[in-house]
Amino acid sequence: MNNYRGPEFQQIETVHWRDLEAQGGFRARQQPLLVKGAVERWPASQQWTFDKLAELRRPDGSEVVTSFQNGLVEQGVTREPVIQPVAPYLRKLAETAATIRAGRIDDIGLLPNSKRQLLAAGERFHLDWNYLKTFTADKVYLAQWYILNEFPALRQHFEIGQLWPGLRRTWEYTFIGPANTVTGLHYDFPNNWFCQVTGVKEFLLFPPDQSPQMCKSRKYDWGATLSDIDISRLDEQPVEREHFANAKGLYARVEAGDALFVPSRTWHAVVSLEPSISLAVFGLTPWEILAGGLPSETRALLHRLHLYRWGNCTCHRMQHAPASQGALT
């Protein structure tokens, strides 16, 4: 895959929080937007560290034990989730983060920051897909932890209403994990404000008009539509990678303190460059709940009854990988 160029990218539209505020704040939009510094002024930027979150305990004083995602689940075989205590995992991440931060974080990634900073405004570019061959995307990942429901007092650490005013129902999930985690290519039904508390992540985003190149999958995930394209194994997918190469996307380097707006039905994949803590805030207006929520809940019920894509999903262990679609859908 040394000569594989892949999709063509441009850097995402970016604004600093102070400038966004001066323009009257965030307004409804259909394009992704990176807001620099949005999270820095929230209490979470000081309160949400690996060590401090490791101190969380249940009301009875017991350890927090939860389900961890076992490797990349959006593509390929879904492995059995790992049930384990949270605290030892977080303390290990704290140790690792200190080591990596002392390294050269600007010189690694699909688009190393040292090269990104040399790009001209509006310049189109390709990514270094060989970077994904330097590791295996099989890390145990504390993904989609419903932490704010389990510990409601932590809600006061985020002020998402400053970014996203208006009436809507929100779902907040925390993603905490090491470097070299990969979230596979997919899109979500709700809009999403992705708040990066610590660490650096690379986002690859593709607007809905790029769907013909995304090789839509039949694998089931609640709230998301998946792709058969596994960015961590492109050299094993000759058909999918050729479709993928025809896409045009946006690239975002999301650093600690940033907030990224990912509109509904925007395809995206994520690569973590260092241990990270992130909060994804998914939101739907009342009308969006009526229009799309009912069909989604119906599919979820049928799935739980083993009547809809049972055995081919991100939520239960799979015995083997389903056949790839290998076509544009």
Side-chain angles (χ1 to χ4, degrees), residues 16-291:
H16 195 276
W17 169 251
R18 289 190 299 269
D19 297 324
L20 183 66
E21 193 172 48
Q23 298 165 10
F26 181 80
R27 295 180 175 85
R29 57 184 289 140
Q30 300 299 316
Q31 301 79 34
L33 179 70
L34 179 62
V35 182
K36 301 294 293 184
V39 181
E40 287 179 350
R41 60 183 190 168
W42 298 349
S45 63
Q46 289 80 41
Q47 298 298 323
W48 284 46
T49 67
F50 298 116
D51 285 326
K52 287 185 178 180
L53 292 179
E55 296 172 1
L56 289 173
R57 293 293 183 272
R58 299 296 184 194
D60 63 1
S62 61
E63 275 196 293
V64 180
V65 177
T66 193
S67 176
F68 289 69
Q69 180 178 301
N70 193 355
L72 193 158
V73 300
E74 288 81 9
Q75 288 82 37
V77 175
T78 303
R79 296 189 288 178
E80 190 75 23
V82 175
I83 310 298
Q84 64 182 17
V86 168
Y89 180 84
L90 295 177
R91 293 194 181 102
K92 182 64 176 178
L93 289 180
E95 296 174 8
T96 307
T99 302
I100 293 179
R101 178 51 64 185
R104 299 188 302 168
I105 190 67
D106 279 356
D107 296 329
I108 64 172
L110 292 163
L111 178 63
N113 199 37
S114 54
K115 293 183 178 180
R116 183 186 68 87
Q117 292 173 335
L118 300 176
L119 294 171
E123 183 177 348
R124 296 184 179 275
F125 55 88
H126 296 270
L127 302 177
D128 179 10
W129 297 101
N130 287 314
Y131 173 70
L132 295 180
K133 299 173 71 173
T134 65
F135 62 88
T136 302
D138 61 353
K139 305 292 185 181
V140 173
Y141 190 17
L142 183 44
Q144 297 185 333
W145 185 17
Y146 217 0
I147 188 174
L148 299 190
N149 267 31
E150 295 187 39
F151 299 94
L154 298 182
R155 288 185 179 275
Q156 64 184 329
H157 294 162
F158 287 87
E159 300 173 11
I160 194 66
Q162 293 181 352
L163 276 174
W164 210 1
L167 179 64
R168 61 181 45 80
R169 170 77 165 86
T170 61
W171 296 261
E172 302 88 4
Y173 295 99
T174 300
F175 295 78
I176 304 177
N180 302 334
T181 54
V182 176
T183 299
L185 192 60
H186 70 285
Y187 73 71
D188 300 300
F189 168 62
N191 296 309
N192 175 16
W193 269 112
F194 189 88
C195 304
Q196 189 71 3
V197 180
T198 188
V200 177
K201 291 185 174 180
E202 294 182 294
F203 266 76
L204 316 181
L205 304 109
F206 301 89
D209 64 7
Q210 297 300 298
S211 290
Q213 313 301 339
M214 295 292 105
C215 298
K216 184 178 175 182
S217 172
R218 289 183 57 81
K219 190 173 186 180
Y220 173 73
D221 181 274
W222 184 88
T225 297
L226 310 181
S227 167
D228 277 329
I229 299 167
D230 185 342
I231 65 168
S232 72
R233 299 188 305 109
L234 287 170
D235 53 351
E236 301 173 30
Q237 295 186 310
V239 175
E240 288 83 357
R241 76 179 181 184
E242 289 310 309
H243 291 312
F244 190 47
N246 293 321
K248 296 186 184 300
L250 298 171
Y251 171 91
R253 180 183 174 91
V254 184
E255 300 173 314
D258 294 346
L260 174 67
F261 179 67
V262 183
S264 171
R265 295 185 168 86
T266 296
W267 295 91
H268 56 284
V270 189
V271 178
S272 184
L273 300 184
E274 57 182 352
S276 298
I277 300 173
S278 316
L279 181 77
V281 183
F282 298 96
L284 293 172
T285 64
W287 167 246
E288 290 168 338
I289 292 174
L290 289 174

